[in-house]
Amino acid sequence: MRCRLFCAAVLRRVSSMRIAAPSFIKRADRITNVRFLQEFVDEVELLYMSSLYEGDEPDPAEVAELAATGMRFNVHMPYDIDLSKKENWAVIERYAELLLPLEAHTHTLHIQKEDSFFEHLINFIAKTDLPVTLENGGDDANLFGLIPNEPVWICADLGHVLHYGGTVEDIIRHWGRDIGLIHLHGSDGMRDHQSLKYIDKNTLRLIKNFAELQELTVCVEVFEENAFLESLDILLSL
C-alpha cells in the first residue's frame, strides 16, 4: 500500500482537489499528528470537539508550533454547546482568537435550526471577519436551506448523508454552488467515520469529480491510521 500511496501522492500534487485529514489519526497530540500527516495530505482539520474538556482549549504554544509547520488548516469548532444562546458564543470567540495565527481557511460549526443561531452567527462573522462553514452534524442537511445570504459556506458532511440514507446527488444538486468543504467517511451500517471501502466507487468518483471541478478540500474524516491510509489509497486511485 505504501508504494501505491507514494504514486498517488504524486498525482495529488497535480489535482485541483485538496485532501485533508483530522488531527487525530494517531493516538497522539495534534502536532505529532500534523507532522505525520504532512507526508500524505494538503491540509489538516484541527479538531476542537469539546468546550467542556479540560485541556482542549487551544494552547498558544501549541498553536505557534502548528503555525511553524507551514501546513494549511481548517478548524472544527466545539460542537457541545448550544449556539442559539448568545452567551455561548464567547467560547467560539475565544477559540477563534487563540487560533488566529494559523490563518485557517475556514472555521466549521455544526448548523442549528433556531433563528437565534443565525443571528449570533452573523454577528460573529461581522465582529471577527473570519471564514465560516456550517456542517450537517447528522441527518440534518435540510437545514442548509436556512442559511442566510451572508458570507457563509456549507461544509457538506457526505459521510453523514450516506450513513442516514441520503444521496450525494441530492446534496450536490441542491447545494453544490454553496459548498466550501467536504467531510467524507464510510459507514458499516452501524457506525460512520469508517473507511471509504464502505462507499460505492461510483459515488466516490462523483464526489472526487465534483471536488476537483470546484477546487474543494475533501477531509477524509476517519480517526484511525490504517483506516485512513486505506481510505486515502482508495480515493487517490480512482
Side-chain angles (χ1 to χ4, degrees), residues 185-200:
H185 43 93
S187 170
D188 62 9
M190 297 293 292
R191 303 164 300 166
D192 56 1
H193 296 288
Q194 304 301 303
S195 168
L196 298 189
K197 71 181 181 180
Y198 293 105
I199 301 179
D200 175 77

Side-chain angles (χ1 to χ4, degrees), residues 128-193:
T128 64
D129 196 31
L130 289 176
V132 171
T133 43
L134 295 182
E135 176 190 358
N136 52 308
D139 188 19
D140 55 358
N142 60 299
L143 296 182
F144 290 148
L146 301 178
I147 296 176
N149 187 23
E150 296 290 333
V152 180
W153 293 92
I154 287 171
C155 172
D157 192 316
L158 299 180
H160 286 155
V161 169
L162 292 169
H163 178 69
Y164 289 102
T167 67
V168 170
E169 292 88 343
D170 284 345
I171 298 298
I172 291 176
R173 182 170 64 253
H174 285 104
W175 315 113
R177 66 180 182 179
D178 298 316
I179 294 174
L181 177 65
I182 291 173
H183 288 176
L184 186 60
H185 43 93
S187 170
D188 62 9
M190 297 293 292
R191 303 164 300 166
D192 56 1
H193 296 288

Side-chain angles (χ1 to χ4, degrees), residues 1-9 233:
M1 181 182 290
R2 289 282 180 164
C3 179
R4 292 175 65 190
L5 283 170
F6 173 78
C7 297
D233 188 41

Side-chain angles (χ1 to χ4, degrees), residues 211-230:
E212 289 181 334
L213 181 64
Q214 300 297 320
E215 299 185 356
L216 298 176
T217 294
V218 175
C219 182
V220 180
E221 207 175 41
V222 299
F223 305 109
E224 192 276 324
E225 183 175 347
N226 289 334
F228 164 71
L229 292 175
E230 177 181 58

